């Protein structure tokens, strides 16, 4: 344990975060830091930290707000020493979160499971990765990152450590509703083609309904007096227009990801690093 250290990743902050990291690193060999050249997003910053610690025997990732219980780290290490290569930190008590956040989290995991995406329920990014598991994770080269969905794909022996989510000591959450929705979309479109298949199912359903309407219209025309009206036509136009726009939006999301992946741009740039010599 003497070789252990804490690596702080500054995701392009605009405040005094990097200065505080530098000061801490100057005082202790147990503190190190890397600063990204700009804000690249939570998942990319986390990957940068994992890359920087890829030579370690085991790595534990944890958010800086410390709402994840640091005392669960000992349990993670015990599980690792017992042979587990991936140890998930799972929240079994989220009473400190708002009702809205708890309910949206439950809905998120349900949607993910319905779409066939393998996720550990109530697990975010608090986890232990053995050296072998980390090396396997770093072989995934996509730029559209959703790490909590990628890690179950690599396999290896896994277990979970349960803990209660703590209250935030200071600051405010950097994950408002808009970013939560963005993360959910990123996870779904990065790991599943179910939305594309849903478009095919919706198209088949709408085509079936349209076919029935056509048959009904023809029978009405042939065997009874057809009253002309604009209601049915208007409803059909708006309905089909809505379905088409939704379908194009989903397809566009996937095409956009293909576009970004083919560029093969660097995920991030490290502006500076700091550790005591």
């Amino acid at each position: 344990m003497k070789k252990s250290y804490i690596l702080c990743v500054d995701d392009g902050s605009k405040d005094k975060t990097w200065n505080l990291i530098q000061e801490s690193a100057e005082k202790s060999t147990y503190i190190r830091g890397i600063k990204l050249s700009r804000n690249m997003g939570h998942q990319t910053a986390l990957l940068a930290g994992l890359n920087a610690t890829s030579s370690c025997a085991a790595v534990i990732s944890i958010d800086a707000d410390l709402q994840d219980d640091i005392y669960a780290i000992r349990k993670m290490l015990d599980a690792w020493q017992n042979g587990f290569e991936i140890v998930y930190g799972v929240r079994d008590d989220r009473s400190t979160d708002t009702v809205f956040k708890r309910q949206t989290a439950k809905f998120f995991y349900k949607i993910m499971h319905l779409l066939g995406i393998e996720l550990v329920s109530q697990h975010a990014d608090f986890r232990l990765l053995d050296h072998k598991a980390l090396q396997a994770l770093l072989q995934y080269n996509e730029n559209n990152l959703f790490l909590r969905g990628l890690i179950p794909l690599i396999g290896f022996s896994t277990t979970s450590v349960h803990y209660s989510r703590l209250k935030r000591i200071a600051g405010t959450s950097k994950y408002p509703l808009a970013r939560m929705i963005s993360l959910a979309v990123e996870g779904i479109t990065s790991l599943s083609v179910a939305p594309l298949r849903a478009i095919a199912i919706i198209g088949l359903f709408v085509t079936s309904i349209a076919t029935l309407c056509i048959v009904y219209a023809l029978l009405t025309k042939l065997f009874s007096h057809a009253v002309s009206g604009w209601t049915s036509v208007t409803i059909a136009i708006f309905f089909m227009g809505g379905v088409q726009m939704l379908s194009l939006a989903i397809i566009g999301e996937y095409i956009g990801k293909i576009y970004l992946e083919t560029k093969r741009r660097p995920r991030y740039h490290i502006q500076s690093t700091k550790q005591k010599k």
Side-chain angles (χ1 to χ4, degrees):
M1 300 297 292
K2 292 182 179 180
K3 295 182 180 179
S4 299
Y5 62 90
I6 298 173
L7 176 68
C8 302
V9 181
D10 183 347
D11 189 18
S13 66
K14 302 297 183 182
D15 53 18
K16 297 181 179 179
T17 298
W18 181 241
N19 291 334
L20 294 173
I21 293 174
Q22 287 181 305
E23 291 174 7
S24 298
E26 284 287 349
K27 296 175 182 177
S28 174
T29 58
Y30 294 101
I31 304 294
R32 302 180 187 181
I34 60 174
K35 178 178 175 60
L36 303 188
S37 59
R38 59 179 292 269
N39 185 281
M40 300 300 296
H42 176 264
Q43 296 292 284
T44 300
L46 176 55
L47 185 70
L50 294 175
N51 258 315
T53 55
S54 59
S55 62
C56 297
V59 176
I60 297 174
S61 58
I62 186 171
D63 289 340
D65 58 21
L66 295 183
Q67 287 188 267
D68 297 318
D69 188 2
I70 60 173
Y71 294 102
I73 292 176
R74 170 52 62 187
K75 296 179 182 178
M76 290 182 172
L77 292 172
D78 290 340
W80 172 59
Q81 290 173 343
N82 287 328
F84 290 101
E85 291 155 310
I86 300 175
V87 185
Y88 297 106
V90 177
R91 305 158 178 168
D92 58 6
D93 180 6
R94 300 189 64 159
S95 57
T96 57
D97 289 337
T98 63
V99 174
F100 175 77
K101 190 164 186 177
R102 291 199 300 268
Q103 294 304 317
T104 52
K106 288 181 181 178
F107 180 72
F108 168 74
Y109 287 110
K110 286 181 180 179
I111 290 295
M112 287 298 196
H113 286 300
L114 285 174
L115 294 176
I117 299 172
E118 186 180 353
L119 285 183
V120 178
S121 184
Q122 300 303 322
H123 164 71
D125 292 298
F126 184 32
R127 69 179 73 88
L128 178 147
L129 293 174
D130 179 81
H131 177 76
K132 188 190 300 183
L134 178 56
Q135 294 302 313
L137 174 64
L138 295 179
Q139 292 178 27
Y140 289 77
N141 295 316
E142 57 255 47
N143 285 299
N144 300 291
L145 289 171
F146 186 66
L147 293 176
R148 68 187 74 171
L150 282 180
I151 290 173
L153 297 179
I154 66 179
F156 296 102
S157 58
T158 65
T159 188
S160 298
V161 167
H162 295 263
Y163 65 96
S164 299
R165 187 159 169 80
L166 306 175
K167 291 183 179 180
R168 179 183 289 272
I169 299 175
T172 58
S173 174
K174 301 301 186 294
Y175 261 86
L177 180 60
R179 290 192 67 179
M180 290 169 62
I181 293 174
S182 176
L183 181 64
V185 171
E186 186 73 40
I188 292 170
T189 54
S190 296
L191 296 166
S192 174
V193 295
L196 294 176
R197 292 171 181 167
I199 291 176
I201 295 172
I202 293 172
L204 180 62
F205 175 75
V206 172
T207 302
S208 301
I209 297 297
T211 302
L212 293 175
C213 291
I214 291 170
V215 172
Y216 173 77
L218 290 174
L219 292 175
T220 304
K221 182 71 175 178
L222 292 173
F223 299 107
S224 64
H225 178 67
V227 179
S228 59
W230 60 270
T231 305
S232 59
V233 175
T234 304
I235 292 173
I237 290 174
F238 278 103
F239 178 71
M240 287 303 301
V243 170
Q244 289 173 351
M245 291 300 292
L246 176 62
S247 301
L248 287 173
I250 295 174
I251 294 171
E253 182 71 23
Y254 280 92
I255 292 175
K257 290 193 180 307
I258 295 171
Y259 171 72
L260 292 174
E261 290 291 345
T262 55
K263 284 178 174 293
R264 308 309 300 166
R265 289 175 174 172
R267 290 167 171 159
Y268 57 87
H269 298 287
I270 296 177
Q271 180 175 330
S272 56
T273 62
K274 186 65 178 180
Q275 70 179 83
K276 189 173 183 179
K277 297 180 180 180

